Amino acid sequence: KSHQPHQMHLPITGPRQLRNLQTRGRDYLLDRIRLARIDIHKGIASTTRKKQTSQFTRWTEFLKRCGIEDAFLTSVTAQRKGEIICAFSNEVRHNRYGRTAKNTLRCGTVESAIANVVATFKEHHKPDPTTDVFGKRILPLRRQLKGYKDSDSPPKRQCCLPLAVFNHIATNAKTPSEVAISELIHGA
C-alpha cells in the first residue's frame, strides 16, 4: 500500500473545528495543508524516503506473515506492540528480507530498520511502538539491541597509508595537476 504524503481527504462535516468553517475557508485551509505536505515531502532526501518506504514494506510483509493486516497496530496493546517490534527486529537481524548474502546483520542495521518504521508511524500521526509512556525506548527492545551490539564483531578498521606513500606522491609530482593533487593529499 502506498503512503502518499500529500493526499488528504477531509469530509465537509468532520471535526468540530472544520465543521464550522465556511466552504471557501475550508477549501483554502485544505489547499494550504496539501501544499505544506508537499513542502514537507521535499524536505526528505529521496534516499531517506526510499529506505523508509523499503523498511515499512518489510514491516507490512512481516505483519502479513503473522496474520496482522493493520500496519499501525491500532487495536494492539502497548505490550503486544513491543513484542511485535522485537520480533521484527529479530527478522531484520537474521536477514529474512535482505538483499545481501549475510546471515546476520549488525545492530546498526537493525536500529536503522526500526527507525525507518517508526518514522512512518510518526508521519501518519501514530504512536511510536518502540517507546513507553515516558518516551523512552521499551526495555525489551533496549536489551535485545544491546545483546546484538555486544555480539557483533568489532568493525574492521582501515589502516592508514604509510608516510612513504605521501612522500612518493610529492616527489614524483611533475605536471601542475599532479602538484595540485599532491598538495590536496598532503592537506588532507
Side-chain angles (χ1 to χ4, degrees), residues 3-7 34 37-38 41 49 123:
H3 301 284
Q4 297 298 325
H6 31 77
Q7 286 182 343
R34 181 185 61 79
R37 286 187 175 185
I38 290 170
H41 185 73
R49 170 66 59 199
E123 195 173 78

Side-chain angles (χ1 to χ4, degrees), residues 52 55-56 59 85 88 112-122:
Q52 187 177 329
Q55 290 302 336
F56 199 76
W59 167 252
I85 202 79
F88 177 69
S112 176
I114 294 167
N116 283 310
V117 170
V118 168
T120 305
F121 269 73
K122 289 179 178 181

Side-chain angles (χ1 to χ4, degrees), residues 82 85 122 128-142:
I85 202 79
K122 289 179 178 181
D128 179 347
T130 67
T131 58
D132 61 19
V133 294
F134 304 107
K136 291 181 68 175
R137 183 169 272 176
I138 57 173
L139 184 61
L141 183 59
R142 280 188 300 185

Side-chain angles (χ1 to χ4, degrees), residues 53 99 186:
T53 302
R99 294 181 186 97
H186 279 84

Side-chain angles (χ1 to χ4, degrees), residues 137-163:
R137 183 169 272 176
I138 57 173
L139 184 61
L141 183 59
R142 280 188 300 185
R143 288 179 174 168
Q144 182 180 24
L145 294 174
K146 183 180 182 324
Y148 291 166
K149 190 171 189 172
D150 291 348
S151 68
D152 282 348
S153 59
K156 294 179 184 172
R157 306 281 183 208
Q158 289 185 339
C159 295
C160 297
L161 288 173
L163 289 176

Side-chain angles (χ1 to χ4, degrees), residues 44-58:
I44 302 171
S46 63
T47 53
T48 301
R49 170 66 59 199
K50 285 178 187 172
K51 287 178 187 175
Q52 187 177 329
T53 302
S54 172
Q55 290 302 336
F56 199 76
T57 299
R58 289 180 180 160

